[in-house]
Each structure stands twice: as structure tokens, then as C-alpha cells.
């Protein structure tokens, strides 16, 4: 049967404390479950264990039927691969092995290292296992997903497709594969809003059992039928939609806070875990660190005494104060960039929240870079009002000035007192990362550190490029609360519909280079799904000029 059963799973990185333990849950045939939790609690690690990429320290799991897996960086980490090499990595395991062998044999033949026999064998194995049938499916998915025709998967490079096209191609292939079980790690990343809407419809129509990791709250609300929550080094399950999850968690936290039995149960669980780790350490000295960590965790818990608190929420407090500025922050006059969109004029006023929306590849990030002064427009000019101070959040957290530096050192550039700097890091959930170098942080931790820098630099205009892309849900909500009280102007590129819903108005760029001013969220979402009807929406004012 196409189910996923996980029992008492535990894992700790080599030489470190346990990341999680006693993780148990079941995904029944046909269910679409989502794993949620703070950045760094082990959501992707669980998927890696289920695919046997890494081994768990303990526990068991069983997956019924055929399984396909998509990692969050699919198509992104190796842009010089061919499309065939990318798609081989998301093929069933037997075809994946045969496909890799075929690619290696082709390269050996081209380099004169094979007389042709190895290639002939690899080609035969590929065909016998169903490789040619799979290639037919590739072609069908490419026709639905890629704007330009794909004539040869063995020569077309991954880099020739946009990030959204790569992701959509893989998702289309997997969701129409008929596989019994699909593991999807952040399937919404790199997708624009129309494609996210497409993804939701595909997931809802898919009969496969799905276990996914996602921070997109709209996708979770519309697609997840079960929520697996990783927190407190363990997990619990909400057997319903994400719509009802916040209320269920609040109720659970309340019950935990009042329940003395919870303390006794937790103490016994930690003690039992410590004993097991001690036994393993006696058999293998490599387990000594984890055993000592388990003992320390139990001792600290007992020393704290009853009653225990509920599972601690992330304490993320973002304070974006801003400052006064001229009423007109920026005046854009006949702006155009590399023929990405037609020249348009517009004004941005103090205190506005303006969302830049539209399909991938239409020039939104380019426009943001022109507003920041990083690039110059091909045509037109931008005039900023007096007392304007611009802060920029980059989509890929590309901060070469932070490389090789510890988080505390980066914050101390602006906050000279170390104690105050540590308190600031703590508000962003980064206290334990104070001595960690920037490049070793997770994507979500890098994003939080960049937002922290924006706070302490005191800008009154914020330009944000996909600020919630790598943030967990609680961090996204903290950022939204901060922006709500920010005394300044915000211009943001985003595909996060929950985040965008709090903005005042929107500038949309279409695939045809048209630019529109859209007055509210509902009109903006309607325009994204049917841009050809914008001219008929009287609330939508086209900004393009002949």
C-alpha cells in the first residue's frame, strides 16, 4: 500500500547533539501531508532519511510502493548539467542508476575511453528498464512546462531554463508519474504566483500519497490534509487542514502548560533515551558525544522541575522603526530596462507598501536593483526625495561583505556593545549562532540576519526581494508584524500571497512587457491569472505609454 510509516525516528549530525528523536507519524494512502516547523529543526533531514540518502541514528520507517523524491535545490545546484541529467535524478531508483550509467558511458565513448561495448550495454539496460518510455514522458512534461521547445534533452542545458521552468518541469513529471509516494521538499520555491496556483491544483488532483515540506501558507491551506509538526526535538500530528492548525496548536500549548503528567512523561522519555544512548556508547565510543548530550538534556530537564512549559515558540521580534521622509519618496519617469518591459512612469509615496508582481522573468528584480541604485535603467530616470535612506534585502542573501565573519561580529558593526548585540541576535532567534560564520548559516538564518541588519541600519525605504522565501512560517509572520508598524516605505518583489495581502497596491509586469497599477490584492490576483482581461477591469490603470 502507498503509505508512509515512521516510528521513533532519531537523528543527530556527526559530533553534535540529537537534532530530533521520538518522531513518529503515518501518512495513509492518498493523503497529502505537510511537515512544518522552525528553520533547522530537521524537516528536510527527515525526507533525506526516508530516501536513504542518510541513515537515522534510530527508529524505523516503511514506504509502500514506488517512490519519487524532489529535493529543494533540484535543477539549481548544477546549472551546467543537461536536462536529461537533471531529470534522471528524479527518476525511479532503478532507472536513475541506469541513466547515470548511460551518461557516464556516453562521456567515456566521447573521450575515447570506451570501445563502444560499455555504451551499448548501458543503452540496452536503459531501454530494457523503460528509459525510452520515460523519455516520452519527459517530452510531454516539457511541452507543458517550458516556453521554448526542447528538441534534445541530452544537449539542452539546465541553465537555459529559468528557475521556475526547471521546477515546474520536474513537478509536472512527478505529479503525473503515477508513483505511489511522492516526497517534495519546498516544491513552491522559485515558482511565481500563477505557477503556484497551478501546483496547488495538480497536488489536489494527484492520487499519490504525498509528504512535503513547505512554508507557503496558502499552499498548505489548500493542499495539506494532515500536518506533521516537528518541535521540541519530537513531533505531533494535526489530522486536519492547515487552516485549523494555528487554533489546534494554541489549544495544545495551553493543555501542555497545565498538565503535570506531561512533565512526568517527558522526564521518563528523556531518561529512557539517555539510557539507550549510554548503552550504545558502551558498544561504540563514537556515540559518546551523543550519550553525554542526552544525559545533559535529561539532567537539565529534571533540575528545572515541574511544571514544564509548553514547547517554546520561536521568539522572533523584528523592530523596523523607519523614519520620516519627503511625501514623494521616488519619481520614476519613462523607466525601461533592457526591453524587459515598456517605458512607464510612476510615483512612490512615503508610507506606501507597494508589491511588484508578475510571472518569473519579467524584470521585477531588475527594477528593484534600479531603485536601489545598483543598476541604471536603459531608459528614463529615477529621482528620490530628500531624507531618503534605502535598505535592500537580496533574494539569494548574497552578501560577500559577510563572508568569513561571525554573526556577532556583523551585528557589532552597528551595535558596539556586545551584550546589546547578543540581545538583538536573540530577538531574531540567532543567539546560538552568534559565533557561527555567515556562510554556514541556513537560508532562513541568513535571511533573518539580513533583516536584522536592515533594522539596526535605520532605513526609511526598504526594498525587499523575496524576503519570505527561506523563512519559516513564524519568522515570516514576525516580519509581517514588523512591516505593519514600520514608519517608512516598502517596495517588495514576492510570490508569497499571504505576505502580499498586507500591501496597499501593486505594480504588475506581464510577459508581454505591459505594466499596470493595481489598486488592491483581489484585483492583483485576478490580473495574475488573466492578464489579458486587465484592460476590462476599470480599477486597473495601465501605466505603459506608446
Amino acid at each position: 500500500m502507498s503509505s508512509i510509516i515512521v516510528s521513533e525516528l532519531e537523528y543527530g549530525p556527526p559530533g553534535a547533539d540529537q537534532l530530533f528523536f521520538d518522531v513518529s507519524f503515518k501518512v495513509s494512502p492518498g493523503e497529502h501531508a505537510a511537515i512544518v516547523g522552525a528553520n533547522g529543526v530537521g524537516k528536510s533531514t527527515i525526507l533525506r532519511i526516508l530516501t536513504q540518502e542518510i541513515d537515522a541514528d534510530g527508529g524505523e520507517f516503511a514506504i509502500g510502493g514506488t517512490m519519487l523524491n524532489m529535493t529543494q535545490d533540484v535543477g539549481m545546484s548544477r546549472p551546467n548539467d543537461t536536462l536529461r541529467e537533471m531529470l534522471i535524478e528524479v527518476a525511479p531508483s532503478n532507472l536513475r542508476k541506469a541513466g547515470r550509467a548511460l551518461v557516464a558511458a556516453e562521456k567515456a565513448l566521447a573521450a575515447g575511453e570506451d570501445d563502444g561495448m560499455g555504451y551499448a550495454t548501458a543503452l540496452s539496460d536503459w531501454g530494457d528498464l523503460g528509459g525510452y518510455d520515460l523519455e516520452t514522458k519527459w517530452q510531454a512534461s516539457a511541452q507543458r512546462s517550458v516556453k521554448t521547445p526542447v528538441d534534445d534533452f541530452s544537449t539542452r542545458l539546465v541553465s537555459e531554463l529559468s528557475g521556475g521552468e526547471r521546477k515546474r518541469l520536474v513537478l509536472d513529471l512527478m505529479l503525473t508519474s503515477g508513483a505511489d509516494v511522492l516526497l517534495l521538499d519546498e516544491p513552491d520555491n522559485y515558482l511565481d504566483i500563477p505557477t503556484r496556483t497551478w501546483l496547488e491544483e495538480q497536488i489536489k488532483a494527484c492520487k499519490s500519497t504525498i509528504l512535503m515540506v513547505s512554508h507557503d501558507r496558502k499552499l498548505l491551506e489548500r493542499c495539506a490534509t494532515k500536518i506533521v509538526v516537528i518541535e521540541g526535538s519530537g513531533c505531533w500530528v494535526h489530522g486536519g487542514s492547515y487552516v485549523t492548525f494555528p487554533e489546534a496548536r494554541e489549544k495544545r500549548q495551553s493543555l501542555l502548560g497545565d498538565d503535570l503528567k506531561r512533565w512526568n512523561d517527558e522526564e521518563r522519555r528523556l531518561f529512557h533515551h539517555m539510557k539507550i544512548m549510554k548503552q550504545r556508547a558502551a558498544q561504540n565510543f563514537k556515540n559518546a558525544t551523543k550519550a553525554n548530550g542526552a544525559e545533559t538534556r535529561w539532567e537539565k530537564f529534571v533540575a528545572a522541575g515541574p511544571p514544564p512549559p509548553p514547547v517554546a515558540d520561536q521568539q522572533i521580534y523584528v523592530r523596523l522603526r523607519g523614519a520620516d521622509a519627503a511625501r514623494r519618496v521616488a519619481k520614476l519617469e519613462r523607466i525601461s530596462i533592457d526591453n524587459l518591459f515598456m517605458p512607464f512612469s510612476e510615483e512612490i509615496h512615503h508610507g506606501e507598501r507597494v508589491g511588484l508582481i508578475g510571472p518569473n522573468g519579467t524584470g521585477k528584480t531588475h527594477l528593484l536593483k534600479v531603485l536601489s541604485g545598483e543598476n541604471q535603467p536603459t531608459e528614463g530616470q529615477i529621482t528620490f526625495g530628500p531624507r531618503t535612506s534605502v535598505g535592500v534585502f537580496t533574494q539569494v542573501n548574497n552578501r560577500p561583505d559577510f563572508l568569513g565573519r561571525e554573526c556577532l561580529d556583523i551585528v557589532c558593526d552597528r551595535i558596539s556593545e556586545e551584550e546589546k548585540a547578543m540581545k538583538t541576535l536573540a530577538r531574531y532567534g540567532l543567539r546560538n549562532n552568534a559565533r557561527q560564520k555567515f556562510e554556514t548559516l541556513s537560508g532562513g538564518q541568513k535571511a533573518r540576519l539580513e533583516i536584522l541588519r536592515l533594522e539596526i541600519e535605520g532605513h526609511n525605504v526598504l526594498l525587499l526581494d523575496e524576503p519570505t522565501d527561506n523563512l519559516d512560517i513564524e519568522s515570516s509572520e514576525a516580519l509581517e508584524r514588523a512591516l505593519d508598524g514600520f514608519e517608512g516605505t516598502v517596495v517588495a518583489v514576492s510570490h508569497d500571497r499571504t505576505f502580499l495581502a498586507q500591501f496597499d497596491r501593486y505594480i504588475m509586469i506581464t510577459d508581454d512587457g505591459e505594466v499596470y497599477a493595481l489598486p488592491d490584492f483581489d484585483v492583483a490576483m485576478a490580473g495574475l491569472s488573466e492578464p489579458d482581461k486587465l484592460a476590462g477591469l476599470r480599477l486597473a490603470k495601465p501605466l505603459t505609454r506608446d
Side-chain angles (χ1 to χ4, degrees), residues 32-38 43 200 212-231 236-250 313-314 471-478 480-481 496-499:
H32 297 162
I35 304 178
V36 303
K43 302 185 296 294
E200 290 164 2
M212 59 186 168
V213 173
S214 176
H215 296 146
D216 187 315
R217 287 159 284 180
K218 287 296 181 185
L219 184 143
L220 292 173
E221 289 174 1
R222 294 173 180 174
C223 298
T225 57
K226 175 180 286 185
I227 307 296
V228 179
V229 191
I230 309 300
E231 60 182 4
W236 61 279
V237 176
H238 172 58
S241 164
Y242 189 78
V243 174
T244 57
F245 166 70
E247 181 182 352
R249 185 176 186 274
E250 184 178 353
D313 292 329
Q314 283 197 104
L471 294 182
D472 57 51
I473 292 171
E474 290 183 2
S475 297
S476 294
E477 291 172 345
E480 289 162 7
R481 290 192 297 270
D496 183 336
R497 290 155 291 181
T498 307
F499 177 73

Side-chain angles (χ1 to χ4, degrees), residues 134-205:
L134 182 60
E135 289 180 26
T136 301
K137 294 180 180 178
W138 291 354
Q139 192 63 55
S141 289
Q143 289 175 355
R144 293 188 292 262
S145 308
V146 182
K147 294 178 182 178
T148 55
V150 179
D151 298 319
D152 189 346
F153 287 87
S154 64
T155 58
R156 184 79 175 267
L157 296 180
V158 169
S159 59
E160 295 175 27
L161 272 60
S162 70
E165 284 181 316
R166 300 172 206 176
K167 205 70 173 280
R168 176 161 179 165
L169 173 58
V170 171
L171 285 166
D172 184 280
L173 185 66
M174 295 184 70
L175 291 166
T176 60
S177 66
D180 295 310
V181 174
L182 300 178
L183 304 181
L184 308 176
D185 195 356
E186 303 210 21
D188 48 277
N189 270 10
Y190 302 101
L191 300 184
D192 55 32
I193 292 175
T195 310
R196 291 185 187 211
T197 302
W198 165 86
L199 173 61
E200 290 164 2
E201 295 303 318
Q202 293 298 308
I203 289 177
K204 287 190 289 186

Side-chain angles (χ1 to χ4, degrees), residues 3 42 69 72 81 84 170 180 218 230 274-275 328 336 362 375 417 437 440 461 474 488 501 531:
S3 61
N69 171 57
Q72 60 181 278
D81 278 1
R84 180 175 62 168
V170 171
D180 295 310
K218 287 296 181 185
I230 309 300
M274 182 264 290
K275 286 294 186 183
R328 187 172 68 194
S336 181
T362 54
N375 294 337
E417 295 182 31
K437 291 186 177 180
T440 67
V461 177
E474 290 183 2

Side-chain angles (χ1 to χ4, degrees), residues 322-399:
D324 192 19
R327 179 181 178 277
R328 187 172 68 194
V329 169
K331 182 178 182 180
L332 290 72
E333 300 177 89
R334 301 283 299 171
I335 292 293
S336 181
I337 304 171
D338 297 332
N339 295 318
L340 287 169
F341 47 80
M342 301 180 198
F344 75 96
S345 300
E346 175 65 313
E347 291 186 356
I348 298 173
H349 297 143
H350 177 66
E352 284 192 313
R353 273 68 173 143
V354 182
L356 300 182
I357 62 175
N360 285 327
T362 54
K364 303 182 297 296
T365 295
H366 289 77
L367 179 56
L368 211 63
K369 288 182 177 180
V370 166
L371 283 169
S372 72
E374 179 181 345
N375 294 337
Q376 295 298 313
T378 307
E379 180 182 341
Q381 65 177 4
I382 297 177
T383 305
F384 286 97
R387 303 188 306 279
T388 299
S389 174
V390 178
V392 181
F393 177 95
T394 61
Q395 180 179 9
V396 294
N397 309 122
N398 182 22
R399 294 297 298 259

Side-chain angles (χ1 to χ4, degrees), residues 4 47 50-51 67-70 181-185 211:
I4 303 171
L47 297 189
L50 296 182
T51 61
M67 181 188 73
L68 295 180
N69 171 57
M70 188 193 75
V181 174
L182 300 178
L183 304 181
L184 308 176
D185 195 356
L211 181 62

Side-chain angles (χ1 to χ4, degrees), residues 440-455:
T440 67
L441 299 174
S442 70
Q445 290 164 342
K446 288 179 180 177
R448 274 187 262 152
L449 183 62
E450 251 202 280
I451 295 167
L452 185 161
R453 279 288 297 233
L454 291 178
E455 173 190 314

Side-chain angles (χ1 to χ4, degrees), residues 193-194 197 508 523-532:
I193 292 175
T197 302
M508 188 179 88
V523 172
M525 294 302 103
L528 284 169
S529 60
E530 297 184 277
D532 57 322

